[in-house]
Amino acid sequence: MLDLTNSTSVAALAPGDITLFRFPVAEGTDDPKTKVRPCLVFDRRTFGGDEFIDLAYGATSRSRANAGYELHVTRRHDIDAAGLNSATRFICARRVLVHPHHPGFRLPEGRDPFVGRISPDLMRRLQDLQCKVRQALIEGWRSRPKLTVLDTPSNR
């Protein structure tokens, strides 16, 4: 399992990995009451020489909110491979961009945040979503996804 307390392990997280992260997140807080949720590593980004992880949080609700930018993990073998307990919908319309040392990766009892990886079929869906998000940003779609930056190297 990955140990996200050192930069070598964080470098191993890649798009398609499922990791645990504490949500909801408020800038500048380390509230232990936040809920640990499975998150999909949507993408990796480099800004000014620093690496950031683009996360889409997972939910078990069947809501239609944020429809169109979702990745559903529903088949039993996909759920098991991803390290999930039940069917999960990853909300790619509302993502967070975090530094690898963000406190949201620190879990109770020193649990390992890495839990699994999506299947090749779901990886193709993720790649389609990545293209759709880029197109929405380039073309200025009204319903474009929201990306919130939570932690920057200057405030680590």
Side-chain angles (χ1 to χ4, degrees), residues 2-10 100-101 105-106 113:
L2 289 174
D3 172 10
L4 292 179
T5 59
N6 70 54
S7 59
T8 305
S9 296
V10 173
H101 298 292
F105 287 114
R106 284 188 232 120

Side-chain angles (χ1 to χ4, degrees), residues 13 56-58 74 97 127:
L13 271 180
Y57 75 90
T74 56
L97 190 64
Q127 291 165 344

Side-chain angles (χ1 to χ4, degrees), residues 8 35 54 89:
T8 305
K35 184 175 181 180
D54 185 341
R89 166 177 90 106

Side-chain angles (χ1 to χ4, degrees), residues 8-118:
T8 305
S9 296
V10 173
L13 271 180
D17 286 342
I18 305 296
T19 186
L20 298 175
F21 190 82
R22 289 185 293 134
F23 273 95
V25 185
E27 185 67 48
T29 66
D30 192 13
D31 184 357
K33 297 176 190 164
T34 56
K35 184 175 181 180
V36 175
R37 294 183 184 271
C39 295
L40 170 68
V41 177
F42 186 80
D43 209 351
R44 294 283 309 219
R45 298 168 187 244
T46 303
F47 295 106
D50 281 308
E51 286 281 323
F52 291 87
I53 302 169
D54 185 341
L55 296 175
Y57 75 90
T60 55
S61 82
R62 298 182 196 275
S63 167
R64 293 295 304 149
N66 303 305
Y69 292 100
E70 306 155 307
L71 188 138
H72 293 267
V73 181
T74 56
R75 295 180 299 190
R76 183 79 249 164
H77 68 277
D78 290 334
I79 292 167
D80 293 341
L84 301 168
N85 296 324
S86 60
T88 303
R89 166 177 90 106
F90 290 97
I91 317 298
C92 300
R94 297 202 175 262
R95 301 179 330 277
V96 293
L97 190 64
V98 298
H99 194 270
H101 298 292
H102 191 282
F105 287 114
R106 284 188 232 120
L107 304 177
E109 295 96 37
R111 288 174 48 198
D112 188 347
F114 176 80
V115 294
R117 182 160 183 77
I118 61 174

